[in-house]
Amino acid sequence: MSERSERSEGRERSEPLLHLALRVEQDIFLVRQRGREVAAAIGLEHQDQVRIATALSEVARELLHGVAGADVTFAVDRAGPAGRAELRVDLSPVRPFPGGRYEPRSGAVARLVDSLRVMSVEGVTVVRMSRRVPDHAEELTPERADQLRAELAERAPGSALDELAAQNAQLIAALDEVRSQRDELAVLNAELQETNQGVMALYNQLTEELEETNRGVVALYAELDEKSAQLRAASESKSRFLANVSHELRAPVTAIIGLGRLLADSASDPLTGEQARQVGLIRSSAGDLLALVNELLDLAKAESGRIEPDWSEVDLRAVFGQLRGTLRALATRPEVELVVEEPPAPATVRSDEVLLAQVLRNLLHNGLKFTERGEVRLRAERRDEVWSLAVTDTGVGIPPELHERIFEEFYQVPGTTRVGGTGLGLPYARRLVALLGGTLKLTSEAGRGSTFTVVLPVGGA
């Protein structure tokens, strides 16, 4: 135990109550007896009284045999740890400690008190032990300290036989307490064993239920795998059907458009007004049918994974410029303005220029169809390593509960079919964005317009 130092710094922190001299074997009993009496006088509980007395007798015996004894001082510190009072016992050895260090032979001694250490007090080396005074103990005022000091001085010390008898009584009490604790422990062990049996029974029951649940989960997964295989087969069949039908329909539809163009050509025989109107209807219907066939074919290619992006460094300024020129003619309503903002520099992204332009063209065309007045705006914004390409319109808007449904094939928001369309453009756009390594998000409210945002990594997928 290393030596520590303490200074009073001009203020009295303790009230010495009793001084004793430890010189012969008889004094060991006296120190133990007086220690118990002082502890009882200042309000320590019985168990703490026994602990401090036992620790004192052990240390006193070692100091008597090791350094010829010590001077013992009992005091009360009024400013102990956390501002609480504590009983302090200082044992000043008659001769210096061998090697300047002291350690109790038994490690249990230090556990009997709150602190046990060797320290220097005003140039004198002492062994100091302390025990906190309970909060409920009576406050040790100067008047009460004087009274206790007088009582302890007048009290006649007992004999070694008396102290031995007191120790025996304490030992018997401790044995009774140990026996009582042993009996309580036996009861607790019995209760614990009973509880363990109940826990084991519950564990076994839960284990059986878990095994049964696992078997059900395994069966469910097997069924789900079977259903997934059936769905994949159905999806592949649908894609093949769409591709085959699209190819088969494209040729006759193209032929109908070509024949209509020949009939309406000025070089052909002139048509009556009614004939010209009917030929125009045929060409218009054939054009709508061809657009539907092309969208079905594109969707089938995307679903079957036959679209492979052609990766390159794409200049967004060129893409935006092309969209600005080609889509301006579609903004036929004078109440709707098409605005394509210039993207901020450096306006490059690793992507497929054709597919990216197709996605943005689809979103802009969609916005122009569903906007009766206001504007359709395309803007680009870069944050760190991500591009956000947003198409915003002031159209009818989409209720929140339909935000995911509009990306289903052939679905159209109720009340908007009057503007035409197949319900395939947005699902196809989302698939293309996924192929490019990005996401397509929607922000919209009914009557407040919509914003479709394509989020792409700068470096590509």
Side-chain angles (χ1 to χ4, degrees):
M1 185 176 296
S2 61
E3 184 174 303
R4 301 176 60 183
S5 64
E6 178 185 88
R7 294 183 179 179
S8 61
E9 297 183 359
R11 60 187 179 93
E12 186 66 33
R13 298 177 59 247
S14 62
E15 292 287 347
L17 297 177
L18 184 64
H19 297 280
L20 295 175
L22 174 65
R23 297 294 186 273
V24 295
E25 289 286 341
Q26 179 72 21
D27 294 338
I28 297 176
F29 296 98
L30 180 61
V31 168
R32 176 186 175 91
Q33 178 187 12
R34 288 301 202 181
R36 188 174 63 254
E37 292 175 354
V38 172
I42 65 174
L44 265 67
E45 297 179 351
H46 177 72
Q47 291 295 335
D48 290 337
Q49 298 172 23
V50 176
R51 291 188 181 97
I52 194 77
T54 304
L56 268 171
S57 63
E58 290 297 316
V59 175
R61 182 176 292 105
E62 292 180 5
L63 294 183
L64 180 63
H65 296 159
V67 292
D71 294 324
V72 184
T73 301
F74 295 89
V76 175
D77 275 346
R78 295 180 180 176
R84 299 170 60 181
E86 64 179 14
L87 171 62
R88 174 172 57 81
V89 185
D90 288 345
L91 297 93
S92 303
V94 175
R95 294 201 304 260
F97 291 112
R101 297 175 59 85
Y102 167 72
E103 288 283 351
R105 290 190 180 93
S106 174
V109 174
R111 293 194 293 271
L112 295 174
V113 292
D114 291 330
S115 67
L116 175 64
R117 58 190 184 277
V118 177
M119 58 193 310
S120 177
V121 178
E122 298 180 354
V124 179
T125 301
V126 300
V127 178
R128 173 170 292 180
M129 63 180 67
S130 62
R131 189 78 189 184
R132 287 188 297 273
V133 178
D135 293 335
H136 57 76
E138 183 180 353
E139 182 181 0
L140 188 66
T141 62
E143 294 77 12
R144 184 165 177 268
D146 293 338
Q147 180 183 355
L148 292 178
R149 198 177 292 110
E151 292 176 357
L152 292 170
E154 294 175 359
R155 188 173 300 172
S159 64
L161 187 59
D162 294 335
E163 184 59 26
L164 185 59
Q167 282 185 258
N168 287 337
Q170 293 169 5
L171 180 59
I172 292 173
L175 289 174
D176 289 340
E177 183 177 356
V178 170
R179 186 180 295 109
S180 176
Q181 292 178 351
R182 183 193 61 191
D183 294 341
E184 292 178 1
L185 183 60
V187 174
L188 289 175
N189 285 336
E191 294 177 352
L192 181 61
Q193 186 175 4
E194 183 179 353
T195 302
N196 285 339
Q197 292 174 352
V199 170
M200 288 301 299
L202 179 60
Y203 172 78
N204 293 333
Q205 179 182 355
L206 291 176
T207 301
E208 293 176 359
E209 293 179 357
L210 182 60
E211 291 177 355
E212 183 178 354
T213 302
N214 286 340
R215 288 192 292 269
V217 170
V218 170
L220 179 61
Y221 271 113
E223 184 178 353
L224 288 176
D225 289 340
E226 182 180 356
K227 296 296 183 182
S228 297
Q230 294 176 359
L231 288 174
R232 285 193 298 270
S235 178
E236 292 173 359
S237 299
K238 182 196 69 173
S239 298
R240 287 195 300 271
F241 173 76
L242 291 177
N244 293 335
V245 169
S246 300
H247 279 294
E248 293 298 327
L249 289 177
R250 177 178 284 183
V253 170
T254 304
I256 292 173
I257 294 176
L259 290 173
R261 185 181 300 112
L262 289 175
L263 289 174
D265 193 345
S266 58
S268 302
D269 294 335
L271 302 175
T272 64
E274 180 61 23
Q275 290 174 335
R277 188 182 67 83
Q278 292 177 357
V279 169
L281 290 175
I282 293 173
R283 292 180 61 186
S284 175
S285 300
D288 292 340
L289 183 56
L290 181 60
L292 173 59
V293 168
N294 289 332
E295 287 183 351
L296 286 173
L297 186 59
D298 289 338
L299 187 61
K301 289 180 180 178
E303 286 185 342
S304 62
R306 285 185 289 167
I307 298 179
E308 291 291 336
D310 183 12
W311 298 102
S312 64
E313 291 296 324
V314 178
D315 186 352
L316 292 178
R317 292 172 297 182
V319 174
F320 279 33
Q322 180 187 16
L323 293 172
R324 188 184 297 113
T326 56
L327 291 175
R328 193 176 301 277
L330 294 177
T332 55
R333 297 185 181 130
E335 301 87 356
V336 180
E337 180 183 7
L338 175 63
V339 180
V340 179
E341 298 182 0
E342 193 70 12
T348 58
V349 60
R350 182 166 180 77
S351 185
D352 184 308
E353 183 173 353
V354 175
L355 296 182
L356 179 58
Q358 192 171 358
V359 169
L360 296 177
R361 185 182 303 109
N362 185 303
L363 296 177
L364 287 170
H365 186 262
N366 200 61
L368 291 171
K369 284 196 301 182
F370 294 99
T371 303
E372 296 183 352
R373 62 178 58 84
E375 68 174 21
V376 177
R377 180 180 296 268
L378 171 61
R379 70 166 68 90
E381 181 181 8
R382 176 172 175 174
R383 292 184 179 177
D384 298 328
E385 296 301 310
V386 173
W387 274 106
S388 294
L389 313 178
V391 175
T392 303
D393 63 62
T394 57
V396 294
I398 303 169
E401 63 272 14
L402 301 180
H403 283 189
E404 284 301 316
R405 292 212 61 188
I406 64 170
F407 291 103
E408 297 177 5
E409 297 164 9
F410 302 105
Y411 182 81
Q412 289 184 316
V413 177
T416 60
T417 54
R418 57 186 174 82
V419 299
T422 61
L424 296 174
L426 289 176
Y428 180 56
R430 174 172 273 189
R431 291 183 183 276
L432 290 185
V433 173
L435 284 175
L436 298 177
T439 58
L440 178 58
K441 301 178 180 179
L442 168 62
T443 304
S444 180
E445 293 182 27
R448 294 180 175 269
S450 305
T451 298
F452 290 88
T453 305
V454 178
V455 180
L456 294 174
V458 173

